[in-house]
């Protein structure tokens, strides 16, 4: 079958990435907010949850043959992909090399909870050029609230061990931090912990978890929208004054892209979506990682070529519906270009005038994007003038030094956090 796909497949009409889930929803943890563990119920008759060798080769060959660019990227997700073992990923790399055309470059990215990461895994990642996304929700007291084993034991110590191993072996490691009802209240503790461990790239993923009663109410674990705005703004204020050029925070990069004249790279902020579909362990193809359900199953790569699914009319309609179903409240918003209504899965509340389809996180996103826009516009102006945007950090430090001389210990902090100066930025740079 693989040879047939190689000879008959056309290139996709556009760049795309696939979240491949070779172990399906199987995971060695039981994080209390995980939205994917329940997906095991879709495949009760499947045993084991492991992409078989022939399908794995077929998928790899199709991805290579259908990618329109010379750079071919694979994204391995779960569940927890490392439960399949290191030899499975050695097999993946061997199959990629077998089907790799001349003058192309293949990269691999894996998202993991870190529990099974060992020296052997890290040596493999380093040798084969893998990038790793590591899930970590901040310092131990905040991480361990929800990220627990199936026996309800804490996991932070094991995750930190994995992080240190990855750093020791110089494996590129991005931090994925879920922002929930607990850690959102402590932005400084979360951010400064990541600074202390010298994290270089952080993605903050706000948790929006419906309560399962069929309505649009959310669980107590869900991050409050207004608290998210304050969380992001507080971290941004420290980052823009101290850490530009040293740490990359994904949402801050996204906030700056429109000012730079660039399109968004993160799907939730693009005008349309559908460019990050999912392939399950049995070859089923879904429109979105958050919508792995019968209604969003578009086919199976054993029956329909990957490129045909990527370019299919149903996937295109799915992506365009994000833009086409925006309520008027969003269309008239002055930060529309920054969020484009956010992820459709979170559009579960009504607008102030009663229209359906407003993003649950709207208030938080609007507060944050409004707060950071003056800074991103200054960054863009520096860039247009041929200077590095990081120069803004030095300019702000100079401006703040002049302001601080007139600020008392118990006065409101000039960064706008709402805290007293002595409890906020007074010692931040020391």
């Amino acid at each position: 079958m693989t040879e047939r796909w190689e000879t008959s497949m056309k290139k996709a009409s556009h760049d795309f990435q696939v979240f491949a889930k070779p172990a399906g929803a199987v995971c060695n943890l039981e994080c209390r907010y995980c939205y994917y563990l329940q997906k095991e119920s879709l495949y009760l008759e499947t045993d084991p949850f492991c992409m078989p060798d022939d399908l794995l080769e077929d998928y790899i060959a199709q991805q290579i043959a259908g990618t329109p660019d010379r750079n071919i990227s694979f994204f391995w997700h779960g569940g927890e992909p490392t439960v399949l073992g290191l030899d499975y990923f050695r097999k993946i790399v061997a199959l990629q090399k077998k089907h790799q055309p001349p003058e192309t470059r293949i990269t691999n990215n894996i998202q993991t909870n870190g529990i099974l990461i060992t020296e052997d895994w890290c040596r493999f990642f380093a040798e084969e050029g893998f990038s790793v996304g590591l899930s970590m929700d901040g310092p131990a007291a905040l991480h361990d609230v929800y990220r627990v084993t199936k026996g309800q034991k804490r996991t932070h110590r094991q995750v930190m061990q994995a992080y240190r191993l990855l750093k020791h072996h110089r494996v590129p490691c991005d931090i994925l931090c879920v922002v929930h009802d607990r850690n959102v209240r402590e932005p400084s503790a979360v951010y400064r912990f990541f600074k202390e461990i010298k994290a270089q790239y952080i993605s903050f993923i706000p948790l929006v978890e419906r309560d399962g009663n069929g309505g649009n109410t959310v669980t107590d674990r869900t991050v409050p929208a207004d608290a998210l705005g304050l969380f992001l703004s507080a971290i941004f204020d420290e980052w823009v004054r101290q850490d530009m050029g040293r740490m990359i925070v994904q949402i801050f990069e996204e906030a700056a892209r429109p000012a730079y004249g660039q399109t968004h790279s993160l799907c939730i902020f693009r005008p349309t979506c559908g460019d990050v579909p999912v392939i399950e362990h049995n070859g089923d193809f879904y429109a979105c990682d958050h919508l792995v359900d019968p209604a969003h199953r578009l086919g199976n790569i054993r029956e329909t070529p990957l490129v045909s699914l990527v370019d299919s009319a149903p996937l295109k309609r799915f992506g365009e519906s994000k833009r086409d179903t925006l309520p008027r409240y969003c269309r008239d918003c002055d930060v529309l270009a920054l969020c484009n209504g956010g992820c459709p899965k979170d559009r579960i509340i009504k607008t102030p005038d009663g229209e359906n389809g407003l993003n649950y996180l709207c208030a938080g996103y609007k507060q944050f994007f409004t707060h950071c826009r003056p800074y991103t516009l200054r960054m863009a102006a520096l860039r247009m003038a041929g200077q590095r945007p990081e120069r803004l950090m030095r300019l702000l430090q100079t401006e703040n030094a002049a302001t601080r001389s007139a600020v008392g210990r118990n006065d409101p902090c000039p960064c706008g956090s709402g805290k007293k100066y002595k409890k906020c930025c007074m010692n931040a740079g020391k």
Side-chain angles (χ1 to χ4, degrees):
M1 182 180 288
T2 298
E3 292 181 0
R4 178 165 66 86
W5 292 134
E6 286 179 332
T7 57
S8 65
M9 279 179 58
K10 297 179 181 179
K11 300 291 184 184
S13 64
H14 57 91
D15 289 333
F16 66 94
Q17 67 184 64
V18 174
F19 280 1
K21 298 178 179 276
V26 172
C27 187
N28 53 343
L29 296 187
E30 198 169 272
C31 301
R32 296 188 177 108
Y33 54 58
C34 182
Y35 65 93
Y36 215 81
L37 287 176
Q38 61 184 313
K39 303 305 179 183
E40 282 191 62
S41 63
L42 293 173
Y43 299 100
L44 292 178
E45 298 179 0
T46 301
D47 185 25
F49 279 81
C50 176
M51 187 177 286
D53 290 356
D54 65 322
L55 178 59
L56 179 65
E57 181 168 9
D58 201 17
Y59 161 59
I60 288 171
Q62 290 192 53
Q63 175 90 11
I64 290 172
T67 299
D69 194 75
R70 291 183 182 275
N71 294 311
I72 304 163
S73 297
F74 288 84
F75 297 84
W76 306 101
H77 281 243
E80 174 53 41
T82 62
V83 299
L84 295 175
L86 182 51
D87 285 345
Y88 191 90
F89 279 85
R90 289 193 177 106
K91 184 193 312 174
I92 284 173
V93 171
L95 290 170
Q96 290 171 339
K97 292 176 179 178
K98 174 182 175 181
H99 293 280
Q100 182 176 6
E103 300 180 1
T104 60
R105 177 173 178 262
I106 291 178
T107 58
N108 285 282
N109 306 265
I110 184 171
Q111 182 64 41
T112 178
N113 57 39
I115 301 301
L116 298 177
I117 298 302
T118 61
E119 291 273 4
D120 286 344
W121 273 104
C122 291
R123 280 191 286 268
F124 168 77
F125 290 149
E127 290 168 2
E128 301 299 342
F130 272 61
S131 295
V132 175
L134 185 66
S135 297
M136 191 188 306
D137 291 353
L142 299 173
H143 172 96
D144 287 333
V145 173
Y146 297 130
R147 298 196 64 81
V148 294
T149 69
K150 293 188 183 298
Q152 304 304 298
K153 294 183 179 180
R154 301 172 180 178
T155 63
H156 191 267
R157 181 184 59 79
Q158 293 163 282
V159 177
M160 280 303 301
Q161 180 180 352
Y163 178 76
R164 294 187 186 100
L165 284 173
L166 291 164
K167 295 284 284 185
H168 175 74
H169 287 272
R170 301 180 183 273
V171 177
C173 180
D174 302 341
I175 300 295
L176 188 153
C177 174
V178 174
V179 185
H180 47 72
D181 67 306
R182 300 287 290 276
N183 59 4
V184 75
R185 307 295 181 184
E186 303 188 48
S188 295
V190 172
Y191 183 60
R192 290 174 187 176
F193 167 76
F194 290 137
K195 287 176 65 171
E196 287 171 7
I197 66 171
K198 295 181 171 55
Q200 294 182 313
Y201 189 100
I202 308 167
S203 295
F204 290 117
I205 311 298
L207 176 65
V208 180
E209 183 182 50
R210 298 200 201 191
D211 64 9
N213 293 325
N216 291 332
T217 55
V218 297
T219 67
D220 292 340
R221 290 187 288 260
T222 294
V223 59
D226 56 349
L228 176 68
L230 294 173
F231 174 91
L232 294 173
S233 297
I235 292 175
F236 179 85
D237 286 337
E238 183 165 338
W239 173 84
V240 78
R241 289 169 173 82
Q242 298 181 27
D243 302 311
M244 290 181 66
R246 291 193 290 269
M247 295 176 68
I248 297 174
V249 180
Q250 186 184 48
I251 193 170
F252 301 166
E253 295 283 300
E254 291 296 321
R257 291 180 76 88
Y260 293 159
Q262 300 172 343
T263 58
H264 284 294
S265 62
L266 187 60
C267 63
I268 63 172
F269 296 136
R270 294 175 191 159
T272 60
C273 55
D275 291 333
V276 192
V278 165
I279 290 178
E280 266 284 351
H281 63 291
N282 70 335
D284 280 349
F285 181 93
Y286 294 88
C288 173
D289 184 47
H290 289 278
L291 298 170
V292 173
D293 55 48
H296 294 89
R297 180 185 178 277
L298 302 182
N300 187 292
I301 64 168
R302 285 194 185 273
E303 302 159 358
T304 306
L306 175 62
V307 165
S308 297
L309 292 166
V310 166
D311 282 337
S312 67
L315 185 58
K316 183 177 181 182
R317 285 195 299 270
F318 167 80
E320 291 177 346
S321 69
K322 177 183 179 180
R323 175 196 61 213
D324 297 343
T325 58
L326 270 178
R328 180 170 296 278
Y329 182 79
C330 292
R331 297 177 192 274
D332 295 339
C333 181
D334 62 357
V335 295
L336 173 62
L338 292 167
C339 84
N340 285 295
C343 184
K345 78 175 179 65
D346 297 332
R347 294 182 183 177
I348 59 175
I349 62 174
K350 293 181 182 292
T351 66
D353 58 0
E355 189 177 359
N356 289 323
L358 184 64
N359 196 301
Y360 168 84
L361 298 169
C362 172
Y365 280 146
K366 189 169 186 176
Q367 192 275 336
F368 166 66
F369 286 129
T370 300
H371 177 80
C372 72
R373 185 164 52 183
Y375 299 94
T376 59
L377 291 174
R378 289 180 70 177
M379 290 159 60
L382 288 168
R383 199 178 200 186
M384 289 289 292
Q387 302 180 50
R388 292 179 62 83
E390 289 83 357
R391 185 167 184 266
L392 176 60
M393 182 170 64
R394 294 190 290 276
L395 294 173
L396 291 173
Q397 288 170 350
T398 301
E399 294 169 8
N400 287 352
T403 302
R404 286 173 177 171
S405 63
V407 178
R409 288 170 50 85
N410 294 308
D411 290 337
C413 187
C415 80
S417 68
K419 298 180 180 180
K420 291 183 179 180
Y421 179 43
K422 67 182 181 183
K423 294 289 188 179
C424 192
C425 292
M426 179 176 169
N427 299 310
K430 297 181 179 179

